[in-house]
Amino acid sequence: MVEPVNSSAPEFDVVFRARRLIGPNGEVSGSVGVREGRIAAVEALDAPMRGARTVELAEDEVLLPGMVDSHVHVNDPGRSEWEGFPTATRAAAEGGITTIVDMPLNCLPPTIDAGSLEVKREVARNNVHVDVGFWGGAVHGNLDELRGLHESGVYGFKCFLLHSGVDEFPPLDSAELERALRIVAELDATMIVHAEDSDAIEHAPSAHGENYRDFLHSRPRGAENMAIAQVLELARRTGARVHILHLSSSDALPMIASARADGVRATVETCPHYLSFTSEEIPDGATQFKCCPPVREAANRELLWRGLADGVIDCVVSDHSPCTPELKRLDIGDFGVAWGGVSSLQLGLSAVWSQARIRGFELSDVVSWMSSGPARVSGLRDKGALAVGSDADLCVFAPDDAYVVDAEKLHHRNAVSAYHGRALAGVVRSTWLRGTPIAGPEAGTAPAGKLLNRGEA
Ligand SMILES: [Zn+2]
């Protein structure tokens, strides 16, 4: 390479030098040059690259693309005492996440038309520490709004097939689901589905009291299996692209693989809690573990790991769905009345890495599940890859460092966490959004995140 005569001007705003980095083809050593918020070069570790500044990673650090969490309930506006944009996105940044996609429910109004999307954007604008995209809602009675929401920039649509937990976000029945999927196919959008069957849940024993097994029996695998079968068949019939949210029942993996082999456009996610916990070890009354679908048996957990190894499961995202400690009913520990949802936005990367490494997976696997996978499923073109042309969203991660979770020190709004007291491997040392530090020793306090629109990012 010929050096220009006037070689004093820096070519890059920042150059990262990393003995280990996770690129699109796995782990290598290298240097990453950032210009105007984008990755402008990925070259050898000793490549002669001049940056306005250089960040040398320590011996024990690995450079990752920023994590992408496409399943976050920010609840803002309307239930901001549960969570809000400043706190959720601060927690995300501290956890190595650079992009979240916000769910359309639990906020008020729910995001079910272009107007309510604009209300949410107004609240989020200038209040986010990471980039934020939005899902729209497909609910009973709003199918005529889907096109308008799509044109306003949502990344796709979420629907429920049973009561969502909040009355203002009513589920679709099967005729409406088919109609909605025809619209989604026409828009070339994605329908993301909470797949539990209403009828099956209604006929299951009701959840009450502090015994976790009783709660588990109230949300049987069969309810998930039936709903997923229905979604796959309607996706087959309509040609729509569908995504199964928070898979807990490993029974469904073979039918998802089989539908996909037939050309059905279906993807699937699971969550850190299904990969970390087992129903056998959840103490009575520990409602911080309550979520729907529920955490199941140890054998089921291992089959979910198999699903990741086999490539049937595309991604792992948090389903961060917090509420106040009062609504978790930690005082009485009643699984029947406690709000369902696990708060884990800041912990997902460490939680998944802790479990992955003891099963022989590599960091590059975790990156494909938690960064490139969710970016692909959501249609976030500029995210999820440490590659030239992508946004310079980066995470400096120390995989062999460790910590014990203290719920009080987490950044999401309410200090409730199913991971409290657990030792986790892997520490996020710093997080960078479009080349700017947003977590770690150099991070500023001003919100640096942007609101994203489908097709533009
Ligand atoms: Zn959710």
Side-chain angles (χ1 to χ4, degrees):
M1 176 179 158
V2 181
E3 286 280 307
V5 178
N6 177 6
S7 62
S8 57
E11 307 165 273
F12 302 102
D13 302 323
V14 195
V15 172
F16 291 85
R17 304 275 187 187
R19 284 174 200 81
R20 300 177 63 192
L21 67 80
I22 308 296
N25 301 313
E27 184 170 323
V28 291
S29 68
S31 299
V32 176
V34 175
R35 197 184 297 133
E36 291 172 356
R38 296 234 173 196
I39 296 175
V42 181
E43 294 186 22
L45 182 57
D46 58 0
M49 297 161 73
R50 292 184 316 280
R53 60 169 305 195
T54 298
V55 176
E56 289 265 2
L57 269 66
E59 289 274 352
D60 67 340
E61 294 174 345
V62 187
L63 190 63
L64 314 178
M67 300 300 119
V68 174
D69 193 337
S70 53
H71 194 151
V72 180
H73 297 264
V74 180
N75 308 335
D76 198 3
R79 291 193 177 92
S80 53
E81 71 279 16
W82 296 11
E83 187 61 286
F85 283 103
T87 44
T89 57
R90 166 55 55 211
E94 298 292 332
I97 297 163
T98 46
T99 304
I100 64 170
V101 191
D102 172 59
M103 282 294 168
L105 74 157
N106 302 344
C107 48
L108 291 168
T111 317
I112 53 173
D113 52 34
S116 51
L117 175 64
E118 196 43 46
V119 170
K120 185 173 276 194
R121 287 176 166 280
E122 277 304 313
V123 171
R125 193 166 287 130
N126 304 321
N127 267 321
V128 293
H129 297 282
V130 301
D131 285 358
V132 179
F134 300 95
W135 297 107
V139 299
H140 174 71
N142 89 326
L143 300 189
D144 292 338
E145 305 289 344
L146 301 189
R147 180 175 292 275
L149 268 169
H150 179 74
E151 286 165 359
S152 301
V154 297
Y155 281 84
F157 303 99
K158 179 178 194 180
C159 71
F160 278 73
L161 306 180
L162 81 175
H163 192 274
S164 68
V166 290
D167 292 335
E168 69 274 6
F169 200 91
L172 301 180
D173 64 28
S174 54
E176 285 172 316
L177 176 61
E178 180 169 347
R179 218 187 116 211
L181 288 177
R182 290 196 188 284
I183 297 168
V184 162
E186 211 177 286
L187 297 173
D188 192 28
T190 303
M191 179 69 87
I192 65 174
V193 186
H194 181 121
E196 285 184 292
D197 183 80
S198 176
D199 198 45
I201 298 280
E202 265 167 40
H203 288 85
S206 67
H208 58 86
E210 54 177 33
N211 188 307
Y212 186 80
R213 287 187 71 82
D214 289 342
F215 169 61
L216 187 57
H217 290 146
S218 77
R219 314 289 297 207
R221 292 157 178 256
E224 253 194 289
N225 303 341
M226 277 179 68
I228 292 169
Q230 183 195 10
V231 171
L232 294 173
E233 283 318 297
L234 289 177
R236 188 191 302 273
R237 194 179 301 172
T238 59
R241 188 163 55 236
V242 297
H243 177 70
I244 307 296
L245 296 163
H246 44 50
L247 181 75
S248 165
S249 169
S250 60
D251 298 351
L253 290 167
M255 75 176 149
I256 295 168
S258 149
R260 244 196 256 190
D262 289 349
V264 174
R265 298 197 294 167
T267 50
V268 58
E269 70 185 32
T270 190
C271 306
H273 37 278
Y274 303 125
L275 299 169
S276 299
F277 305 130
T278 67
S279 57
E280 293 92 338
E281 68 187 3
I282 296 177
D284 284 352
T287 55
Q288 64 270 34
F289 291 90
K290 178 181 175 180
C291 57
C292 298
V295 171
R296 304 188 191 278
E297 306 80 0
N300 182 75
R301 175 180 70 173
E302 296 317 306
L303 290 169
L304 292 175
W305 279 104
R306 179 82 61 81
L308 283 165
D310 294 345
V312 181
I313 300 177
D314 299 87
C315 48
V316 182
V317 290
S318 70
D319 192 7
H320 178 72
S321 186
C323 65
T324 60
E326 293 74 33
L327 285 172
K328 268 296 187 192
R329 299 311 307 264
L330 296 163
D331 52 338
I332 53 168
D334 187 325
F335 283 99
V337 296
W339 176 258
V342 171
S343 304
S344 65
L345 188 54
Q346 192 175 336
L347 302 171
L349 174 58
S350 304
V352 172
W353 170 237
S354 298
Q355 296 288 323
R357 69 191 326 226
I358 57 178
R359 291 173 174 81
F361 292 99
E362 307 288 338
L363 259 180
S364 55
D365 296 313
V366 174
V367 165
S368 77
W369 305 328
M370 303 191 76
S371 180
S372 49
R376 187 181 66 247
V377 164
S378 312
L380 287 152
R381 295 179 314 205
D382 299 337
K383 306 293 187 183
L386 213 167
V388 172
S390 286
D391 282 352
D393 296 352
L394 302 164
C395 168
V396 175
F397 189 62
D400 298 322
D401 201 352
Y403 64 105
V404 174
V405 177
D406 178 352
E408 292 288 343
K409 292 193 174 141
L410 299 174
H411 289 264
H412 67 266
R413 181 146 293 163
N414 292 290
V416 176
S417 173
Y419 294 87
H420 179 69
R422 279 177 82 99
L424 296 180
V427 171
V428 173
R429 297 260 173 86
S430 63
T431 307
W432 301 68
L433 180 67
R434 282 176 268 105
T436 300
I438 56 166
E442 296 177 54
T445 51
K450 285 203 302 201
L451 306 186
L452 305 177
N453 280 313
R454 174 191 47 78
E456 294 168 14

